[in-house]
Amino acid sequence: MPTDDVPETFHVTTDEQLRAVSNLTRHRIMAVLRFEPATITQIAERVGLAKGSSSYHVRLLERAGLVKVVRTRKVRGVMERYYAMAARSIELPDSGDGGPDVLMRHAVADLEASPAGGERHVRMAHLRLTDEQFAELGARLHALADEYRELSDPSLPDTSLVFALFQPAPVQQSEGDTK
């Protein structure tokens, strides 16, 4: 599937779309479709689901506009559909106060499910930045992710990159915590 005609970003705006991306199984299906189209059978094999379950989840994603049929072919009298992502990336609405970001939860679940002993680069750093430094670091992280997404080769194994740059809520000290 040529990627030139695929929109850069799909903006999740409806409750139906948010429910569709909030499910870990559908998140994993979208990961399968991120680089190349696949049939229900191929999706089922790659995600480890029954074909019926894969079909159900893909239909929900299709109804929400997140995936689409990009090719069909007739195989032994049955129409086989190839599905692909509707855009290169998905942008979710702000989760609001206290609402954990659904993509972060899915990323942690994928990290926990990744092969033990595999190479991982996981790091948390606490920084003190000016507003300008914060904005610059955010822009640099986005640019780096975009640069490597352009280098991605569908024939290579999947690699996930997740980052969260945020300013945590101030810690409230109670009376008993004073030193």
Side-chain angles (χ1 to χ4, degrees):
M1 171 176 98
T3 56
D4 298 341
D5 60 349
V6 176
E8 184 63 34
T9 305
F10 182 97
H11 296 274
V12 171
T13 57
T14 69
D15 288 343
E16 177 185 27
Q17 293 166 343
L18 191 55
R19 279 191 300 276
V21 298
S22 295
N23 178 278
L24 182 58
T25 298
R26 291 190 284 274
H27 165 79
R28 289 182 173 156
I29 289 170
M30 289 185 293
V32 167
L33 301 175
R34 137 179 57 196
F35 293 115
E36 60 187 346
T39 65
I40 293 294
T41 301
Q42 292 168 331
I43 292 167
E45 289 170 357
R46 292 179 190 160
V47 178
L49 290 174
K51 282 174 50 175
S53 293
S54 292
S55 179
Y56 167 78
H57 288 290
V58 169
R59 277 195 318 270
L60 289 175
L61 290 167
E62 184 180 22
R63 195 175 323 141
L66 294 156
V67 302
K68 62 183 180 177
V69 175
V70 294
R71 186 170 70 236
T72 59
R73 70 179 189 149
K74 207 168 206 171
V75 177
R76 291 186 289 274
V78 175
M79 192 59 69
E80 188 173 61
R81 292 177 183 87
Y82 285 80
Y83 295 88
M85 292 297 299
R88 292 179 191 225
S89 64
I90 297 170
E91 186 172 308
L92 297 177
D94 187 357
S95 59
D97 291 342
D101 190 291
V102 66
L103 292 180
M104 241 347 121
R105 284 186 278 134
H106 291 332
V108 169
D110 285 346
L111 176 63
E112 290 171 343
S114 67
E119 185 174 1
R120 299 178 185 179
H121 301 273
V122 179
R123 178 175 180 188
M124 182 171 186
H126 297 282
L127 311 170
R128 292 183 180 237
L129 305 172
T130 64
D131 290 343
E132 293 79 22
Q133 291 170 323
F134 182 87
E136 179 189 349
L137 181 54
R140 287 175 63 189
L141 289 169
H142 280 278
L144 190 61
D146 290 343
E147 176 186 340
Y148 276 87
R149 185 175 60 198
E150 290 299 319
L151 297 173
S152 292
D153 180 343
S155 68
L156 297 174
D158 278 351
T159 299
S160 292
L161 169 67
V162 179
F163 62 86
L165 178 65
F166 60 97
Q167 294 170 327
V171 177
Q172 304 264 338
Q173 282 190 333
S174 63
E175 289 181 34
D177 288 344
T178 58
K179 292 182 182 180

